[in-house]
Structures are given as C-alpha cells and as structure tokens.
Amino acid sequence: MSGNVRLLNDTLAAARSEGRSALIAYLPAGFPTVDGGIEAVKAVLEGGADIVEVGLPHSDPVLDGPVIQTADDIALRGGLKIADVMRTVREAHAATGKPVLVMTYWNPIDRYGVERFTAELAEAGGAGCILPDLPVQESALWREHADKHGLATVFVVAPSSKDERLAEITAAGSGFVYAASLMGVTGTRESVGSQAEDLVRRTRATTDLPVCVGLGVSNAAQAREVAGFADGVIVGSAFVKHLLDAPDHAAGLQAVRALAGDLARGVRGQA
C-alpha cells in the first residue's frame, strides 16, 4: 500500500494557492494516553491545522525542550509502542482525511526495521517522516524504502547550516523542508527571531520544496509573522503545554482545538 506523500504535497500546494502558509501541528503519540492522544490529534486537525506531525516519544529527545520531554516521559511510562504510533496515524488520517506524518529520531526506526516501519506507516495512511537526527549521507536506505512506499522524507535545517550543506540536505528531501528557527531545543518563545527569515531565504535558493518553520511559535501573532515568509508554520510545544496545563482531558481537547483555530487565523493574516 502506498503512503500519502501526494496528499501532503497537494495540501501544501493548496495553501500556497490560497496565498497563505500551511498550519502544521505537532503532538506526541501516547500523551496523555494512547486514546487521549488520538483524540488530541483529531482535535487540532478539526480545529484548523492542515497537517499534523505525530511524535514518536524517545528516551533521549535531543531536539525537544522540557514541555515535550515531559509529555514523552508520560507516554513512555504508559507503555507506548510503535504499534500505538501507527494506530494514532491511522485513526487521525481516517477521521479527518488530512496528511499525518511521524516525527521520530532514527534509533527507534533502526531497531524496528526500516522496511517494516515504512510499510506499516504507509499502510496506516501516513504521509511521511520527519527525521531530525538522521544525517543525509546516511539516509540512503531510509529514502529507498520511503520512496517505495510513497512516503515523504523531511529533513531539518538550522541557522548554522552552510549554503553548501543546505543544498545537500534539500536535494535529498521530499515533502517539505523543516527549518528550525533558531539554535536550541523546542519550546515556546517571546519572539521567533530574524534568523528564521534568513534561513528560509537561503533554503529556498537551493530547492523548490516548501520551507516550513518550527521552534518557538506559540500564538496567532507569531504564526502571522512567520507566515509572512514561510510556506508552513509548525507549532508543537504550545499544543502540548495546553494539554499539560488543562484541569482535565476534556478541557485540554477544547484548549488545543481553540489554539488550532487561533493559529489557523494567524497563518491567514487574520490575527
């Protein structure tokens, strides 16, 4: 069965044709529970997100800040398995018809088996994977199987990436390029920073792939700012924090749905 890379491409193209950025949400699978996490992913998609990244919680999340680390720890303590991640992808996509990617470090895929992981992700209706710690020069095996199963391979670029390195990374990727707005880990911040706009400009010089910006965006005003120069706005920690801070799960679902709506207005310039 083929994955949904075409749906991802079409969704990003549709947002561009509307003269706006796409809103991409991130939530880890298994948080606060497997069923609760599926409900949360559906809520952000129903609230206005165009695309969602489902995180595969990992015991050593080098890119993730304290908010997502806390959520990952809750999921792992709850016994989360890769099968639960696949179920999250399957049910979220089936319920909404929207593109669902998995964001994961390389070690869990390597241990699980690349062929098995890509085949199962495609079967679940997944659109691809974001692989923040997989070096491009070591990615041939992954890309071979991802291509075979119709999955996007999204690499991460950072402000420290030299132009030659950007060209190497973007040539190997598909779907979109994940531009980390600043050096450091995920988390909400007061401002996204000027480094992001420069990184998008330099990345676009190397590729026709959409360039989507993440790390630091937490409200509609910031989403509107980033949407002024990026093809997509990626928001993660703000959604997770809403779930962590909510008095109960129902309130958390309401909060993330509302935040998705606010951010969706932001990327449309309505904030």
Side-chain angles (χ1 to χ4, degrees):
M1 182 171 178
S2 183
N4 272 313
V5 65
R6 179 174 293 179
L7 175 63
L8 175 66
N9 295 338
D10 289 348
T11 299
L12 289 162
R16 177 179 288 183
S17 73
E18 294 171 13
R20 66 173 180 89
S21 287
L23 174 59
I24 305 174
Y26 166 93
L27 281 170
F31 168 71
T33 62
V34 175
D35 288 343
I38 292 169
E39 291 173 343
V41 171
K42 290 179 184 176
V44 299
L45 287 168
E46 292 162 0
D50 299 291
I51 299 162
V52 75
E53 305 169 6
V54 172
L56 196 166
H58 187 48
S59 57
D60 185 25
V62 294
L63 185 70
D64 297 315
V67 171
I68 291 175
Q69 284 186 27
T70 298
D72 280 3
D73 186 59
I74 290 168
L76 292 170
R77 287 175 184 271
L80 182 85
K81 302 288 189 282
I82 286 180
D84 300 317
V85 178
M86 298 299 179
R87 181 184 154 213
T88 302
V89 172
R90 179 180 293 107
E91 295 194 17
H93 172 65
T96 66
K98 293 185 176 182
V100 183
L101 300 103
V102 169
M103 186 166 189
T104 178
Y105 297 99
W106 179 245
N107 183 256
I109 295 178
D110 193 37
R111 287 168 54 193
Y112 197 73
V114 176
E115 168 60 23
R116 181 184 178 194
F117 189 94
T118 51
E120 290 183 6
L121 182 56
E123 189 277 328
C129 256
I130 301 162
L131 301 159
D133 68 338
L134 178 63
V136 168
Q137 60 269 28
E138 298 174 19
S139 68
L141 177 65
W142 164 265
R143 287 187 285 126
E144 174 191 343
H145 288 289
D147 290 347
K148 181 171 77 171
H149 289 292
L151 299 169
T153 297
V154 178
F155 289 113
V156 178
V157 298
S160 60
S161 302
K162 304 296 185 188
D163 290 352
E164 183 180 342
R165 178 69 175 155
L166 288 176
E168 182 183 6
I169 292 170
T170 58
S174 55
F176 63 92
V177 182
Y178 186 126
S181 66
L182 39 77
M183 301 304 294
V185 298
T186 59
T188 62
R189 289 175 172 82
E190 292 300 313
S191 91
V192 177
S194 59
Q195 292 183 100
E197 187 167 2
D198 180 64
L199 176 59
V200 170
R201 178 189 58 77
R202 293 193 299 117
T203 304
R204 279 188 175 147
T206 72
T207 183
D208 290 329
L209 289 174
V211 183
C212 304
V213 170
L215 273 66
V217 178
S218 61
N219 58 51
Q222 290 174 336
R224 179 175 183 169
E225 176 193 351
V226 174
F229 57 82
D231 299 297
V233 179
I234 303 169
V235 181
S237 295
F239 284 115
V240 176
K241 192 171 190 308
H242 275 53
L243 288 174
L244 283 169
D245 291 348
D248 55 53
H249 186 55
L253 293 178
Q254 185 176 358
V256 296
R257 186 179 282 108
L259 177 60
D262 288 343
L263 293 165
R265 287 185 286 276
V267 300
R268 288 166 173 80
Q270 299 165 3

